[in-house]
Amino acid sequence: MAGYFGTNAFKLGLFGVNCSGGCTFSDAPERWTAEWDDIVEVTLLADRAGLEFTLPIARWRALGESYVWSKSYETFTQAAALGALTKNINMIVTAHVPLVAPVMAAKSIITVDHVTKGRAAINLVCGWNAQEFAMHGVTLDGDKRYEQGDEWVQIFNKLMAGGPDFDWDGEFYHLKHMTTDPLPLQKPRPPIISAASSSSGQDFAARSADILFTAMHNYDMTRETITRLQGLAAKYNRKPDIFVESMFVVRPTRKEAE
């Protein structure tokens, strides 16, 4: 990934600090509360330490009836705000494909790219939480969500390339006179990440994303996932990279951590 997020082959980042609880499904009193000043502080620490990116979770309500992710910050506006305060760390935004129109996403991510002088990226989620989508008056089509994602990415990429106004008449989008100005600083565009664990989600990442973000819990799973993704991507003559979530439990002793 020499072209994205610096030249280190092994990259580190923050995940989910925009949401209360972060990635920890716990009611421990010291759990992450996602206070804005704390988010700023940890992002500045990561920036100074040389971490490559911060990746937020796009949430609109708590998960089900639980308290997890009950508080969260919107990812595009957060990226612009934090991007203006940092110098090196890359600002990833997370967008639900059925909720954010390609033109809106293009204008927003280009804005972040200019604010950060070329440190923007976008994480696409094709949708899974019907309760959240109902808040927007949108019904999630689980059978066709990745087909919609493919069409979304085609429109997004065409906008990123610039050129004259164009129309789009597809299965999911019927759009007129599309254009955007300015264009992104990064060429051909900010990188696209796709967060997915299912086989269909990983196939979408192989077709349309530069980076697959997924979960792996042991060495054998890591090897199997990387091998499968490389095989999927080879069908499309592509070589997306892989980011994986890791959990750190910090306590004075191993016994306390366990």
Side-chain angles (χ1 to χ4, degrees), residues 76-95:
F76 283 91
T77 47
Q78 174 181 275
L82 294 176
L85 298 174
T86 52
K87 296 180 178 179
N88 299 300
I89 192 168
N90 289 268
M91 294 292 140
I92 302 173
V93 306
T94 297

Side-chain angles (χ1 to χ4, degrees), residues 12-14 39-54 82-91 119:
L12 297 171
L14 303 173
I39 293 172
V40 171
E41 182 178 359
V42 75
T43 304
L44 292 174
L45 284 170
D47 190 33
R48 292 195 294 269
L51 272 67
E52 278 84 8
F53 65 91
T54 179
L82 294 176
L85 298 174
T86 52
K87 296 180 178 179
N88 299 300
I89 192 168
N90 289 268
M91 294 292 140
R119 291 185 283 124

Side-chain angles (χ1 to χ4, degrees), residues 7 31 231 256:
T7 57
R31 66 185 178 274
E256 290 175 88

Side-chain angles (χ1 to χ4, degrees), residues 102-114:
V103 173
M104 182 66 188
K107 180 70 76 174
S108 299
I109 194 65
I110 289 170
T111 300
V112 177
D113 205 42
H114 281 260

